[in-house]
Amino acid sequence: MTETLSRADFRFFHRLRVRWAEVDMQKIVFNAHYLMYFDTAMSDYWRALALPYEASMESLEGDLYVKKATIEFNASARMDDALDVGMKCVRVGTSSIVFRGGLFRGDELLVTSELVYVFADPATQTSRPVPDALRAIFSAYEAGETMFTVETGDWQALGSGAGAIRRAVFVQEQRIPETLEWDEHDATALHAVARNRLGRVIGTARLLSEAPGVGRIGRMAVHRNLRGGGQGAAVLRALEAAAKARGDREITLHAQRSAEGFYGRLGYAPHGAPFEEAGIAHIEMRRALA
């Protein structure tokens, strides 16, 4: 497996910092932890593909099992080092998928890894051909393509997918009563949904008219396993573009306080005092549409 890898060989990186519990008596990372680093990075790799792992494997009627994992050491990582784990899919066979990994401290390559997975029937753990859809996703990601799309439309067209992700996030995860989640505005709102390459809706929001020239965005929901992957921002920008196209000059929204930083990074500013809505702390935020 000896080879020269550089950061330029990878599209995907997972950032971590070495913890005290991971170093040994030599004050360097204990060798078994390097495999954990690569395995942890693989979880983030699936997020980069916009694929919630469990639901995606279920829809593909299979699962992945590690067949082989090898590690080659060049240099050691030490306590409190900031490390970047690069991962890439290098080959998809009939039933196997090969990933190459590189662990970097800055530009210095410390450790390389090869992980071989087999796609198999979860009931019998016997190998199955890698689905064409999954094969295409790996190829597209490594080619630099976007892993999800955003579309807008009415409730009749998008309500099934939008409703499913809203129920999962608001009703099941946040325990908001069903009676508060669904209202008459869904029928007249413009909805936006983000779909991954398996066609699954992974994010949504809706746009209403608050007042002449003012739009209100709400019901923003992103699959819990994919937050931070850009789907929420893309949905928000799609609805902002629609609002601007119809002549709105400003967008307002009620942000959960836990998401205030997310909206702030996208140009929204707090307005007024915090308040409670559906038992959750909120604050109104606004953004002018240039």
Side-chain angles (χ1 to χ4, degrees), residues 273-285:
F275 59 94
E276 191 172 286
E277 189 172 85
I280 299 174
H282 283 72
I283 189 165
E284 183 176 350
M285 301 185 77

Side-chain angles (χ1 to χ4, degrees), residues 201-213:
V201 173
I202 52 178
T204 189
R206 73 182 187 185
L207 172 68
L208 302 171
S209 293
E210 176 78 359

Side-chain angles (χ1 to χ4, degrees), residues 60 130-138 197-198:
L60 293 168
V130 176
D132 290 340
L134 186 57
R135 187 185 301 271
I137 288 171
F138 287 133
R197 290 196 171 219
L198 292 180

